[in-house]
Amino acid sequence: MQEPHSLQVYKFGGASVKDAAAIRNLVRIVRGQAAHSQLLIVVSAMGKTTNALEEIFQLAFTAQEYGPQLQALRGFHTGVAQELFGGQAAEHRQLHQLLEQLDQLLARLQQEPQPADSFDQHYDQIISFGELLATCIVARALEAQWLDCRPMLRTDHTWREGRIDWPTTEWNVRDQLPPLLQRGPVVTQGFLGGTPSGHTTTLGREGSDYTAAIFAYCLQAQAVTIWKDVAGLLNADPKFFADTVRYPEISYQETIEMAYYGASVIHPKTIKPLAVRRIPLLVKSFLDPTAEGTRIGDCRHELLAPAFIRKDAQCLISFESKDLTFISEENLEEIFGALAQARLKINMMQNSAISFSVCTDFSAYRLEKLLGQLRDQFTIHYNTELELYTIKNYDSASVRRLTDGRELLLEQRTRQTFQFVCRSAAVAGLI
Ligand code: ASP
Ligand code: MG
């Protein structure tokens, strides 16, 4: 039992709102809770909508035809609304308006070519529609209040990875949300923020968890619950690994590290705001809402089961000095500077006498930018379509399990962590 009128933040990701049946299930979960607590509900785009929007945006930005893809997106959302609420498409006024807005923005993009370096800015203006559309449908299904979070969650202008202006955001949230929450549940978008000039930003892919944490921090919520299609925080992604185990309880610290290495279960920025205010994070299954799940909080534990983390679409870049001199601190300064400017994050790195290697997420555009800047000083080699594996709390059996039969391109171990880069497996199958 929770304390009466405690404040809870719930986050529902794409899979939990992927169709009308999933939204009905969400309604059941929320109804079961709403009597006990004030509830802020953070919702992501439905199913694979963000990927679909990325494709549509890419086409519009490069002045290509996107009509059929947009039509599919429109049909999907209006179809779900019709299934839930009945009536004709045009009767779902708010949804209809949002789809019209999206249509207009895309048409303008396609007709008026924009400079290549405005890609990220325009990306945010378009991709945000996934969350706007989803919350519009979910709020109506719940008969809850719909909140546009963008004027509240203030960020800077770092497109696609908006950095939160904490003092302003906290002020806005504390000023505006409590009266709404007293009236009843509030539904808002994950993943979005807004700049002082009123432009939309996004917080990084899968950023809705982070949104839930930002609100919880500002409101000093009692707990955050992330509803997922898995039983809790597992030691590996069951899509890729056999015999996964659930952690019933795990510390903030361990979870931050796992997220850092790429465990996709929680967005890496989520934990810090919660840890600062000691707000527990519960990970639960929307398929089995009464099951225990995982509690992430202030706790100590004995030896944890090794965690297996896989990151795909990796790129291994090696820099060699052209005159065969050693890689110096000055060289490294230059390489790090160029990586930061291209906004390529280093997932793993290694230095040898005349070469320096980094493993990053692959992005053709960012890689080109990097090469442009460093090509004159260094001989640069790179490989793409690689995978990066990390084993946290490894032992010899877990290392063997992952490395047997693979050719490792780069390998590293510290006391707790074993990492390697290898080529993507030709045949898919559970590891
Ligand atoms: N819809 C966004 C994404 O797919 C944000 C999220 O799901 O958290 O990346
Ligand atoms: Mg998502």
Side-chain angles (χ1 to χ4, degrees):
M1 254 320 255
Q2 268 123 21
E3 291 165 29
H5 307 301
S6 67
L7 172 61
Q8 303 278 329
V9 178
Y10 278 8
K11 182 263 171 169
F12 288 94
S16 65
V17 290
K18 71 175 198 296
D19 54 24
I23 294 175
R24 286 200 188 98
N25 182 52
L26 174 157
V27 171
R28 272 193 300 274
I29 293 174
V30 169
R31 293 258 157 89
Q33 194 52 50
H36 308 295
S37 341
Q38 293 186 1
L39 212 51
L40 176 69
I41 300 155
V42 173
V43 178
S44 308
M46 295 171 63
K48 300 274 174 242
T49 298
T50 305
N51 293 351
L53 278 165
E54 280 188 342
E55 190 195 341
I56 293 169
F57 167 67
Q58 175 80 39
L59 290 169
F61 194 80
T62 49
Q64 298 179 69
E65 182 52 49
Y66 57 82
Q69 287 88 340
L70 181 61
Q71 197 44 42
L73 188 102
R74 176 186 278 276
F76 169 63
H77 285 87
T78 51
V80 170
Q82 263 161 295
E83 202 178 327
L84 289 169
F85 316 124
Q88 295 303 308
E91 288 168 43
H92 307 295
R93 247 196 50 236
Q94 195 192 4
L95 190 65
H96 195 64
Q97 280 169 0
L98 284 169
L99 287 164
E100 284 301 299
Q101 264 178 40
L102 174 63
D103 209 1
Q104 284 167 17
L105 286 175
L106 285 166
R108 209 178 314 146
L109 262 185
Q110 191 197 36
Q111 282 151 23
E112 300 167 18
Q114 301 293 322
D117 65 1
S118 67
F119 185 92
D120 288 350
Q121 174 173 1
H122 289 291
Y123 173 101
D124 283 355
Q125 312 318 305
I126 300 295
I127 302 306
S128 48
F129 276 86
E131 271 64 22
L132 294 170
L133 292 164
T135 48
C136 164
I137 295 175
V138 171
R140 182 156 171 213
L142 281 166
E143 296 169 4
Q145 304 164 85
W146 180 82
L147 176 79
D148 183 347
C149 74
R150 292 170 296 175
M152 220 178 253
L153 293 203
R154 173 69 57 81
T155 71
D156 66 0
H157 287 86
T158 312
W159 311 112
R160 301 181 69 169
E161 198 138 358
R163 278 190 291 239
I164 297 292
D165 167 351
W166 284 96
T168 309
T169 300
E170 187 166 11
W171 167 263
N172 289 343
V173 170
R174 285 207 188 180
D175 184 48
Q176 294 162 40
L177 253 185
L180 300 181
L181 289 165
Q182 260 166 23
R183 256 181 258 155
V186 172
V187 173
T188 197
Q189 308 76 37
F191 177 55
L192 309 188
T195 66
S197 54
H199 285 94
T200 302
T201 46
T202 60
L203 306 179
R205 287 298 310 259
E206 307 302 328
S208 302
D209 297 342
Y210 183 37
T211 305
I214 296 165
F215 275 113
Y217 171 93
C218 296
L219 292 163
Q220 311 224 11
Q222 201 187 30
V224 173
T225 306
I226 296 185
W227 295 94
K228 296 191 66 86
D229 55 0
V230 285
L233 189 64
L234 308 181
N235 72 326
D237 183 342
K239 277 205 266 325
F240 302 108
F241 296 88
D243 310 322
T244 54
V245 294
R246 172 178 61 90
Y247 299 113
E249 197 176 27
I250 189 163
S251 67
Y252 292 123
Q253 171 88 27
E254 279 286 336
T255 315
I256 283 186
E257 289 178 25
M258 279 188 207
Y260 171 82
Y261 291 122
S264 60
V265 70
I266 289 164
H267 188 276
K269 290 184 180 166
T270 310
I271 303 298
K272 187 175 167 203
L274 299 178
V276 168
R277 297 220 155 138
R278 308 202 152 190
I279 300 166
L281 173 60
L282 314 175
V283 183
K284 287 169 76 90
S285 165
F286 60 78
L287 302 168
D288 188 5
T290 54
E292 181 189 42
T294 296
R295 185 183 190 282
I296 300 164
D298 260 335
C299 64
R300 303 198 162 276
H301 20 60
E302 304 292 295
L303 218 54
L304 281 172
F308 298 98
I309 302 150
R310 169 187 180 276
K311 246 175 167 325
D312 64 3
Q314 297 295 295
C315 175
L316 185 61
I317 316 168
S318 303
F319 306 87
E320 273 170 34
S321 52
K322 286 201 162 160
D323 52 4
L324 289 190
T325 51
F326 297 138
I327 290 281
S328 67
E329 282 69 19
E330 286 75 20
N331 292 151
L332 289 176
E333 195 175 345
E334 211 164 346
I335 294 169
F336 284 133
L339 284 163
Q341 262 189 29
R343 288 179 53 196
L344 279 168
K345 277 188 204 137
I346 301 172
N347 295 329
M348 182 176 165
M349 61 183 170
Q350 212 165 66
N351 193 14
S352 72
I354 56 159
S355 112
F356 177 67
S357 302
V358 291
C359 175
T360 71
D361 292 352
F362 175 68
S363 146
Y365 166 72
R366 295 184 199 287
L367 181 61
E368 202 37 59
K369 216 168 151 182
L370 181 83
L371 296 180
Q373 207 166 333
L374 296 177
R375 207 176 261 135
D376 288 345
Q377 298 96 298
F378 301 96
T379 305
I380 306 173
H381 302 281
Y382 66 88
N383 293 70
T384 58
E385 290 177 43
L386 304 179
E387 290 173 350
L388 168 65
Y389 286 90
T390 304
I391 312 176
K392 239 192 135 283
N393 308 317
Y394 66 90
D395 53 20
S396 53
S398 56
V399 169
R400 251 183 284 123
R401 174 174 164 189
L402 247 58
T403 56
D404 270 1
R406 287 175 192 270
E407 182 203 344
L408 313 190
L409 302 181
L410 196 67
E411 167 184 351
Q412 208 165 73
R413 67 176 87 199
T414 61
R415 243 165 295 172
Q416 264 123 37
T417 310
F418 179 84
Q419 287 189 292
F420 64 91
V421 179
C422 63
R423 281 182 223 291
S424 295
V427 230
L430 290 187
I431 300 167

